[in-house]
Amino acid sequence: MGNGALDGAVIAVAGAGGPAGRAALLRLAEAGATVVGSDNDPERLAEAVDAARYAHGGATVTGDTVDLLNLDSTREWAARTEKEFGRVDGLVHLVGGWRGSETFTKTNLDDWDLLELLLVKTVQHTSLAFHEALQRSDRGRYVLISASGATKPTAGNASYAAAKAAAEAWTLALADYFRKAGGEQGPTSAAVILVVKALVHDAMRADRPNAKFAGFTDVKDLAEAIAGVWEKPAAEVNGNRLWLTEKP
């Protein structure tokens, strides 16, 4: 059933209940991976897991309600996943959140407090919880979904862009860990950043039939790019930003 690179791989997906998470579960299951999704919304998660299972009879897709804002519960999720399936070959980080303001002057720092939790803390927790299991894998990948705003922030998006930039820097530090752990042979595992401008899915298009969504990445294309990270050697993708939208 697989295409090789993901066949038999065990992939954890954080933030699996959203539209991007649903698309990722489907695509990874299709590629022959065992997929373990987590979300803080049990109902949304169950729907996403059922959809992926239904689409790919025989695929192992499970869901775990995990509080990714709690390091211990995130570590427990990593340990439980590795114990149950014998390995962890990937963590796809799709936890999102957005708050913005009209202008820089009107920035509300409460937005920063929220985004720092959603976009930075969750990355810290999943990376610290999973990095050892990923390093033990012969094809470990940590995949962060980021936004072009981290590279070119706009006045009204200071909090969002700063949180995304912090998440990127944290992921690049993980990449350096994988690089050093690989020694002279080079890394066997990789931390990768996929950069989008914003995401779009069918329901958004249905809601706004006249909108152009210029430069947006469809969640199905994002899922394709996520699966593609395993197609390339670790040394080629480790510590790199892969742009799915025009580079600013």
Side-chain angles (χ1 to χ4, degrees):
M1 168 168 137
N3 59 359
L6 277 160
D7 218 6
V10 178
I11 313 292
V13 179
R22 288 180 80 127
L25 294 189
L26 279 166
R27 183 66 188 85
L28 294 167
E30 181 188 28
T34 290
V35 195
V36 185
S38 84
D39 200 272
N40 59 358
D41 182 330
E43 210 167 292
R44 214 167 64 147
L45 178 63
E47 280 172 17
V49 166
D50 284 349
R53 267 193 202 143
Y54 181 74
H56 304 289
T60 303
V61 186
T62 61
D64 239 340
T65 308
V66 183
D67 178 10
L68 295 176
L69 293 176
N70 180 303
L71 180 57
D72 289 336
S73 77
T74 312
R75 284 192 199 276
E76 279 161 23
W77 179 42
R80 198 162 58 237
T81 303
E82 191 175 19
K83 192 178 169 194
E84 187 173 341
F85 298 105
R87 56 189 298 139
V88 181
D89 303 294
L91 185 288
V92 179
H93 195 92
L94 286 166
V95 181
W98 180 81
R99 290 285 184 282
S101 60
E102 283 172 62
T103 63
F104 183 76
T105 319
K106 288 185 179 171
T107 297
N108 180 345
L109 286 176
D110 289 347
D111 290 345
W112 165 258
D113 294 338
L114 175 74
L115 293 170
E116 190 258 342
L117 289 173
L118 289 175
L119 305 180
V120 185
K121 269 283 190 293
T122 58
V123 169
Q124 292 172 330
H125 291 169
T126 54
S127 58
L128 289 168
F130 280 90
H131 73 279
E132 285 170 358
L134 295 176
Q135 178 53 35
R136 283 192 282 274
S137 162
D138 56 354
R139 49 180 159 174
R141 300 286 185 274
Y142 184 95
V143 185
L144 176 75
I145 314 307
S146 190
S148 51
T151 304
K152 195 178 182 185
T154 55
N157 265 334
S159 294
Y160 178 76
K164 281 293 194 186
E168 287 196 7
W170 189 273
T171 302
L172 295 174
L174 175 63
D176 193 51
Y177 159 79
F178 287 141
R179 184 181 63 78
K180 286 175 171 147
E184 284 176 15
Q185 277 71 52
T188 51
S189 294
V192 189
I193 298 165
L194 297 180
V195 187
V196 300
K197 175 180 170 181
L199 294 172
V200 62
H201 51 87
D202 292 345
M204 279 171 71
R205 288 202 180 89
D207 283 348
R208 296 167 59 195
N210 299 324
K212 293 270 191 290
F213 299 110
F216 283 45
T217 300
D218 191 282
V219 290
K220 294 185 195 80
D221 295 328
L222 175 64
E224 198 59 49
I226 289 167
V229 166
W230 276 266
E231 300 287 332
K232 301 182 181 91
E236 201 181 299
V237 290
N238 187 47
N240 282 336
R241 290 180 180 87
L242 307 177
W243 287 80
L244 305 184
T245 187
E246 210 172 304
K247 208 169 166 176

